[in-house]
Amino acid sequence: NYFFKNVTINNNSFYLNSPLIGSNLIIFFLTPIVYFELHSPILFKILSFILFIFFVFVIIKFHKNFTKFKFNKDHLFLYTILTLLFFLCISPVTHADSLAYHMLGGVNYFIKGPLLKELLPIEIKSVGSGELLIALGLSVGSEQFGTLVQFSSILTIIYVFLNINKSNKQISKLILIGVITTPVFLFLISSPKPQLMQITNSLFCSFLIFQIYKKKIPDNLVNYFVYLIVFLSVLNVLVKYSFILSSSFIGFILFLVL
């Protein structure tokens, strides 16, 4: 509470980043467990049950905030797009890449397969920590859980675009709509592959560095945000090695800003 109340960024909208940060924390805690082969199907099912209980608890605790939501006709087009994207992400997984590679990696983790211990067979062994979220969903029969995690990244994208230029939110909204309706975005959000979440991690880290540079974050809280930036950047590389370039660049810019 102290952390959120003292941030000069919009306190209420900052909670939009909770799904993104929470998903990264799940990967962070599951990775060493799977690496040392301490996991089992029972563990995944227990974690899924705990997450469900936590979700119900959050709904009950913050239900008053949900009831205060007022429908804004000016955002009708954005609401419509988000609704259509949600229906797209809960549809059955049909991507050849996801079915033959990422989903198979999730199945491998669920049946107590190792993490990055051997090279062959490559279609299973070359997956990263991101597929652990897929395994978590498959443990309760939900193949769409990984896709829903990717969909939740939209909340952070909305947060960034609506807070980076508060003087002209109309322009920010138009850019946001343009981004979430591009063919590449539609492709990524309809797949459980751990890619859109990592892209959003990079976007969020860049936004936080910009906020630090503009002195919009109190000095006593800068360290917390720096830790968050480093955590998300390092985890991006752990999940997908192709993010090593962007994470290195973010780290370099952060070093210059500090």
Side-chain angles (χ1 to χ4, degrees), residues 156-208:
T156 295
I157 296 174
I158 292 174
Y159 169 79
V160 169
F161 276 95
L162 296 185
N163 283 277
I164 199 169
N165 184 16
K166 292 183 178 181
S167 60
N168 196 336
K169 288 192 174 183
Q170 192 64 26
I171 296 297
S172 298
K173 188 176 72 172
L174 290 176
I175 297 175
L176 170 64
I177 292 175
V179 169
I180 65 177
T181 54
T182 57
V184 173
F185 192 89
L186 296 177
F187 170 78
L188 293 176
I189 202 171
S190 59
S191 169
K193 66 171 64 180
Q195 191 158 341
L196 181 59
M197 187 177 79
Q198 275 57 57
I199 294 174
T200 308
N201 281 345
S202 299
L203 174 67
F204 187 46
C205 289
S206 302
F207 171 76
L208 291 179

Side-chain angles (χ1 to χ4, degrees), residues 91-162:
S91 61
V93 178
T94 56
H95 289 221
D97 178 47
S98 298
L99 291 173
Y101 171 37
H102 299 284
M103 294 290 288
L104 190 60
V107 172
N108 181 59
Y109 289 147
F110 179 64
I111 61 176
K112 210 177 184 315
L115 174 66
L116 301 176
K117 290 290 187 68
E118 300 175 5
L119 180 61
L120 298 175
I122 194 167
E123 67 273 11
I124 298 178
K125 302 299 182 182
S126 60
V127 298
S129 301
E131 280 74 19
L132 291 172
L133 294 175
I134 298 177
L136 203 60
L138 293 176
S139 67
V140 290
S142 173
E143 67 178 67
Q144 288 81 17
F145 180 77
T147 316
L148 287 171
V149 171
Q150 306 305 313
F151 175 80
S152 66
S153 302
I154 292 183
L155 298 177
T156 295
I157 296 174
I158 292 174
Y159 169 79
V160 169
F161 276 95
L162 296 185

